[in-house]
């Protein structure tokens, strides 16, 4: 959410941002509803004041023994109450429409955000690592998973439906190993680890900017006002909802959780393997800091580098992409995606996403801090993926396979896998 006064002063810029992000909202209509609600509120308050004065007058007339005059005043008060009720109802309607429009107003992208309409327009910032070349025909992660008896998709579909899977044996061990590697790295950088609720109230999805525009990607619990989270960003930011926090040093949180996404709009896409599934696990970074653009930019670079260090430790080739406005969500001010080389796709695939939201989430969630003068201000928030599995298993298995069917284990992972330097086929 943006400040309504700021929106009024930057109406054309905000409308342009909505167009870039593909959000259908009229900034002009939003401002018009704001004017209407202010006008109606003024009228309602004026009539209430008049009603209070009339009530006092009735009491005075009764005290003076002027019952007939008091009755006449009561009739006028009844009419006034009817007018107030009608005007209040209209005010509620205008307020509701204003709030609906405000919930659709997007964050304005940073000045250095690339122009573009989709991920095809994202711009490469840098890349790391050498893509593997083989003298044999490499297998994809599904065939490798079958060969090593670590992935079972048919039984996953039998039990959970499409885009479901089982990880077993070495598959589960790898799944947990990459998460622990990521968490250990974040602990070295003063992140506080959290196990978080995976079910949250709807207001928290709204406050963190995932609703209303992303509602079709979430799972609701039947007959409950609870939603399954698609990232621990939601409960981590909501942890401080409605609070005044000390951000003399940035607050750094690391959430470890399962995540759930409906993948609406992905029918027919990425149907083979583990790239796009309904349930997965993430280690997620969230940072809450002072409302300082320079500081938030510095932190965005830092958290992006944390993900790069994890990929470098896994010895996986990747590239960092500056995300264009058309590929951003409603809440994002600036974003980098990291794409890791996936041989079976013949391309890089997204494995990480780092975002700077400025005050958008904190304003909705009412998370504030005091500035140097003691004035309350909304904090800035950032987030980033440390690791998401099983998607990270795709490049990990495919890039590190050998001709004999074994899979090389990078040194950084070996302590989590009983010292193994390679994985040998079990089947």
């Amino acid at each position: 959410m943006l400040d309504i006064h700021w929106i009024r002063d930057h109406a054309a810029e905000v409308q342009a941002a909505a167009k870039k992000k593909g959000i259908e909202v009229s900034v002009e209509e939003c401002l018009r509803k704001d004017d209407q609600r202010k006008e109606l509120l003024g009228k309602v308050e004026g009539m209430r004041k008049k009603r209070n004065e009339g009530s006092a007058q009735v009491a005075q007339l009764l005290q003076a023994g002027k019952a007939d005059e008091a009755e006449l005043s009561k009739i006028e008060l009844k009419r006034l109450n009817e007018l107030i009720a009608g005007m209040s109802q209209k005010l509620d309607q205008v307020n509701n429409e204003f709030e609906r429009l405000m919930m659709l107003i997007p964050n304005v992208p940073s000045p250095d955000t690339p122009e573009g309409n989709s991920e095809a327009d994202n711009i490469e910032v840098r890349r790391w690592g050498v893509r593997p070349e083989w003298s044999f025909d490499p297998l994809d992660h599904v065939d490798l998973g079958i060969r090593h008896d670590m992935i079972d998709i048919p039984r996953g579909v039998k039990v959970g439906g499409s885009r479901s899977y089982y990880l077993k044996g070495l598959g589960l061990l790898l799944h947990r190993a990459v998460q622990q590697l990521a968490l250990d790295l974040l602990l070295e950088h003063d992140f506080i680890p959290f196990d978080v609720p995976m079910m949250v109230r709807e207001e928290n999805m709204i406050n963190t900017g995932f609703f209303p525009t992303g509602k079709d990607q979430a799972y609701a619990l039947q007959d409950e006002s609870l939603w399954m989270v698609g990232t621990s960003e939601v409960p981590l930011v909501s942890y401080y909802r409605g609070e005044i926090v000390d951000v003399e040093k940035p607050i750094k949180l690391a959430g470890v959780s399962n995540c759930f996404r409906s993948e609406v709009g992905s029918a027919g896409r990425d149907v083979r393997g583990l790239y796009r599934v309904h349930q997965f696990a993430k280690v997620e970074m969230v940072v809450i800091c002072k409302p300082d653009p320079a500081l938030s930019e510095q932190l965005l670079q830092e958290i992006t580098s944390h993900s790069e260090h994890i990929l470098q430790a896994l010895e996986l080739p990747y590239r960092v992409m500056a995300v264009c406005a058309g590929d951003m969500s409603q809440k994002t001010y600036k974003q980098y995606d990291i794409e890791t080389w996936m041989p079976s796709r013949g391309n890089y695939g997204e494995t990480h996403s780092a975002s700077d939201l400025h005050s958008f989430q904190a304003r909705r969630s009412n998370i504030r801090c005091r500035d140097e003068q003691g004035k309350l201000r909304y904090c800035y928030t950032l987030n980033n993926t440390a690791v998401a599995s099983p998607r990270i298993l795709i490049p990990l298995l495919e890039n590190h396979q050998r001709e004999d069917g074994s899979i090389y284990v990078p040194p950084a992972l070996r302590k989590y896998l009983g010292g193994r330097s390679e994985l040998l086929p079990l089947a």
Side-chain angles (χ1 to χ4, degrees), residues 171-188:
L172 175 63
L173 296 180
L174 274 176
H175 175 74
R176 292 173 64 87
V178 293
Q179 292 177 70
Q180 193 61 50
L181 171 68
L183 184 59
D184 285 352
L185 182 142
L186 295 185
L187 292 175
E188 292 175 5

Side-chain angles (χ1 to χ4, degrees), residues 51-177:
R51 180 182 61 186
N52 292 339
E53 292 171 350
S55 296
Q57 185 181 34
V58 168
Q60 291 173 357
L61 289 171
L62 289 173
Q63 190 174 9
K66 299 179 180 180
D68 292 342
E69 292 183 39
E71 285 302 315
L72 290 174
S73 294
K74 286 181 180 179
I75 293 172
E76 290 299 317
L77 281 176
K78 183 179 179 181
R79 291 174 182 166
L80 187 58
N81 277 329
E82 291 173 351
L83 287 173
I84 291 173
M87 193 71 72
S88 295
Q89 186 178 16
K90 188 174 182 181
L91 175 60
D92 288 342
Q93 292 172 350
V94 172
N95 264 330
N96 289 338
E97 182 62 14
F98 170 72
E99 290 174 4
R100 184 189 73 81
L101 292 168
M102 281 292 287
M103 285 295 141
L104 292 172
I105 296 293
N107 207 345
V108 176
S110 67
D112 58 347
T113 290
E115 296 292 330
N117 300 315
S118 70
E119 62 181 17
D121 301 309
N122 295 344
I123 295 177
E124 184 175 319
V125 176
R126 58 185 172 272
R127 66 172 61 190
W128 182 92
V130 178
R131 299 185 305 201
E133 295 182 0
W134 296 284
S135 59
F136 60 94
D137 292 330
L139 302 177
D140 71 4
H141 67 284
V142 176
D143 290 333
L144 286 165
I146 294 171
R147 186 166 186 172
H148 286 260
D149 196 25
M150 65 172 71
I151 299 171
D152 193 329
I153 294 174
R155 286 191 175 100
V157 173
K158 178 180 71 173
V159 174
S162 65
R163 302 188 187 276
S164 298
Y165 59 92
Y166 280 94
L167 296 178
K168 55 188 289 195
L170 292 174
L172 175 63
L173 296 180
L174 274 176
H175 175 74
R176 292 173 64 87

